[in-house]
Amino acid sequence: MKKMKKILSIAMGLMMTTCAFAGCGYFVSDYAASDLVKPVYQDNFDLMIFGDHYLDADERSLTMYKEAGFNTFNYYPTASSASQVDEAAALCEQIGLDMIVFGGSPLNWGIDRTIYPDAIEETKFPNYFKQFDTLGIDFDKLSAVKGFYFIDEPNAGQFANMKDCYVDWYNQNYSSSKIWHANMFPSYATPEQLGVDATADKTAFEVYIETYAEQVIKHVQGGKADIGVDHYPLMKRGMENFLSPTYLSDLMVVSSVAHRYGVDFASCIQAAGWGNYRVPKKTADIGFQVYTNLALGAKRLEYYPYNTTGYDGYEGMFFYGSKGPSYDAVKNINEQIKKIDYLFDAFAWQGAKTITGATADENSGFEYVGKYELASLEGIKSVSASYDALIGQFKDDNNYQGYMLVNYTEPSKELKNTIELEFNDAKGVLMYRAGVEMLLKVENNKLSVPLEAGEGVFIIPLNKIAKA
């Protein structure tokens, strides 16, 4: 009897040791990761990746631009170069770039003010794009041109005029074939810049974005519009680096409003340093921003600025057409996301949730997110993280869930984060890390995901085993 007990004890000990290495409780599952049924997605979608700040439309500049991972050129025409838009489009097509045509700031630089004297008025501007009509340019005949960047940072007082000038022209001519893009102020703009006041239950920024959606976006036809925003998060105070506290809440507001109105969410990526904004020199600095925006369902990424002359104190991607300190970091991240961008077309964004870390990080700004985050994550029983984290939730047409996991800490702190997930039902996951797909087995519905600073991974839980 003692001998039998000893044999059973040894057997149980071996079983538990084996299970410990396998990461399970008591029993080792009888399947391998390769036995899991995984979905297949068509790689037929490209996130629009472009820059904002003047860059010459010459072969050398655009080739270097493309090598940094950009796929769309933001063309800045002026009164003197509008007639050359077809030449710029031809060069983009030759190099392998798409193109959008930029309209301008609220005061529309580049306008011939002898023709459009009212352009100098604060709340009025003419339809800059009608100059192209006068020149006989048909953008549908320029295959490289994918859309228009109508305006950057308009005041709410300009929305009505913007609708009259731009929306009608766009709807009549290009709503079925070209993208509508415009970029809004962030919440740290002044009340005068936003042009609206807060209400009892909404911040001035919320009112500003919702007013734009209601007065402008609601009337844009064709289903190719977006709402963009330019909030730059990497800040400094003396020797201390910190995240803008309202960065995440701004992105959540804009993404939520955009999705409510059935249009895309677009966002700017800080690619340079100036004033109180630090230079994003490392891959983690760019990755933090890009993966945060992807977790919030972004479809278009606009890097600002991508070309500087130094006179304005900017230090970033390009300096007089040569590589700047953030060039390689931008290139690294662009190369990563271009390998998996098709996932963000296959999956529909459902929302996002913040995860407060076990170790507090004073820079999270989670307290400002409020009503815009999900109360819980579908398909996930519990989740925790060693430091602050963000999880975006997605679902595809076949009801596969997808999640973008982001290390939401100031990237220069180089904090290594670990997110612990317990699924309702998962035998494995497809994980996309740095653009590489991995098929991983899950034991007891639990998965531990380590994340470096500035890192984000996309995971798809799997629960079906292929039949032999």
Side-chain angles (χ1 to χ4, degrees), residues 71-140:
N71 57 25
T72 304
F73 173 52
N74 182 18
Y75 178 63
Y76 272 50
T78 64
S80 61
S81 67
S83 60
Q84 299 166 6
V85 65
D86 53 343
E87 297 175 15
L91 181 58
C92 283
E93 189 168 8
Q94 172 191 322
I95 293 173
L97 289 168
D98 291 336
M99 189 171 104
I100 54 173
V101 179
F102 184 69
S105 71
L107 296 183
N108 283 277
W109 54 72
I111 289 285
D112 185 340
R113 300 186 189 283
T114 61
I115 302 175
Y116 302 112
D118 62 343
I120 60 174
E121 295 182 26
E122 262 187 38
T123 59
K124 281 188 74 177
F125 47 86
N127 189 339
Y128 177 50
F129 291 89
K130 282 190 176 179
Q131 291 187 89
F132 297 114
D133 294 343
T134 303
L135 293 167
I137 295 175
D138 183 351
F139 288 105
D140 279 333

Side-chain angles (χ1 to χ4, degrees), residues 52 78 92 115 117 152 160 181 191 265 276 283 323 386 412 424 456-457:
D52 182 17
T78 64
C92 283
I115 302 175
D152 182 42
H181 174 66
F265 166 47
N276 293 325
T283 298
K323 293 181 182 179
S386 49
S412 67
N424 291 343
V457 301

Side-chain angles (χ1 to χ4, degrees), residues 37-336:
V37 176
K38 67 175 188 176
V40 177
Y41 302 101
Q42 298 298 315
D43 188 357
N44 55 8
F45 171 79
D46 295 319
L47 283 169
M48 177 180 280
I49 308 173
F50 63 102
D52 182 17
H53 225 213
Y54 188 79
L55 181 70
D56 290 332
D58 62 74
E59 187 171 355
R60 177 185 175 277
S61 297
L62 293 186
T63 298
M64 187 181 298
Y65 178 78
K66 183 184 178 183
E67 288 173 350
F70 293 96
N71 57 25
T72 304
F73 173 52
N74 182 18
Y75 178 63
Y76 272 50
T78 64
S80 61
S81 67
S83 60
Q84 299 166 6
V85 65
D86 53 343
E87 297 175 15
L91 181 58
C92 283
E93 189 168 8
Q94 172 191 322
I95 293 173
L97 289 168
D98 291 336
M99 189 171 104
I100 54 173
V101 179
F102 184 69
S105 71
L107 296 183
N108 283 277
W109 54 72
I111 289 285
D112 185 340
R113 300 186 189 283
T114 61
I115 302 175
Y116 302 112
D118 62 343
I120 60 174
E121 295 182 26
E122 262 187 38
T123 59
K124 281 188 74 177
F125 47 86
N127 189 339
Y128 177 50
F129 291 89
K130 282 190 176 179
Q131 291 187 89
F132 297 114
D133 294 343
T134 303
L135 293 167
I137 295 175
D138 183 351
F139 288 105
D140 279 333
K141 293 181 179 179
L142 302 177
S143 59
V145 177
K146 303 303 180 185
F148 309 101
Y149 187 157
F150 281 99
I151 194 168
D152 182 42
E153 298 183 333
N155 176 283
Q158 297 168 311
F159 292 161
N161 186 233
M162 185 178 179
K163 175 187 174 296
D164 293 341
C165 286
Y166 289 163
V167 175
D168 292 346
W169 178 83
Y170 174 81
N171 287 346
Q172 292 168 13
N173 296 283
Y174 298 108
S175 62
S176 64
S177 59
K178 306 297 181 186
I179 286 168
W180 167 288
H181 174 66
N183 188 55
M184 302 294 107
F185 275 117
S187 62
Y188 52 75
T190 66
E192 291 74 23
Q193 288 174 313
L194 294 178
V196 294
D197 296 319
T199 63
D201 60 342
K202 293 180 181 178
T203 65
F205 179 70
E206 290 175 280
V207 174
Y208 170 71
I209 295 299
E210 291 184 358
T211 302
Y212 172 69
E214 187 64 20
Q215 294 188 6
V216 180
I217 288 298
K218 181 178 178 179
H219 304 282
V220 177
Q221 300 171 2
K224 298 180 182 297
D226 66 39
I227 303 178
V229 67
D230 59 356
H231 192 132
Y232 304 113
L234 305 179
M235 307 190 73
K236 61 183 180 179
R237 184 188 298 111
M239 299 299 292
E240 177 195 11
N241 293 338
F242 64 99
L243 296 176
S244 170
T246 56
Y247 178 57
L248 186 58
S249 58
D250 275 17
L251 301 186
M252 282 194 168
V253 168
V254 179
S255 181
S256 297
V257 173
H259 284 88
R260 192 195 318 155
Y261 278 79
V263 299
D264 287 335
F265 166 47
S267 186
C268 288
I269 306 299
Q270 180 183 334
W274 67 95
N276 293 325
Y277 300 92
R278 69 177 182 83
V279 182
K281 296 180 179 180
K282 295 187 176 182
T283 298
D285 295 328
I286 302 299
F288 166 78
Q289 300 177 74
V290 169
Y291 287 118
T292 294
N293 277 286
L294 292 181
L296 296 176
K299 293 288 185 71
R300 297 167 193 168
L301 300 176
E302 174 185 347
Y303 285 83
Y304 178 84
Y306 66 76
N307 194 35
T308 65
T309 58
Y311 73 89
D312 48 8
Y314 288 95
E315 183 182 7
M317 276 201 66
F318 292 99
F319 183 75
Y320 281 111
S322 298
K323 293 181 182 179
S326 63
Y327 179 92
D328 289 333
V330 169
K331 180 179 180 180
N332 289 342
I333 292 299
N334 282 345
E335 288 175 348
Q336 290 181 19

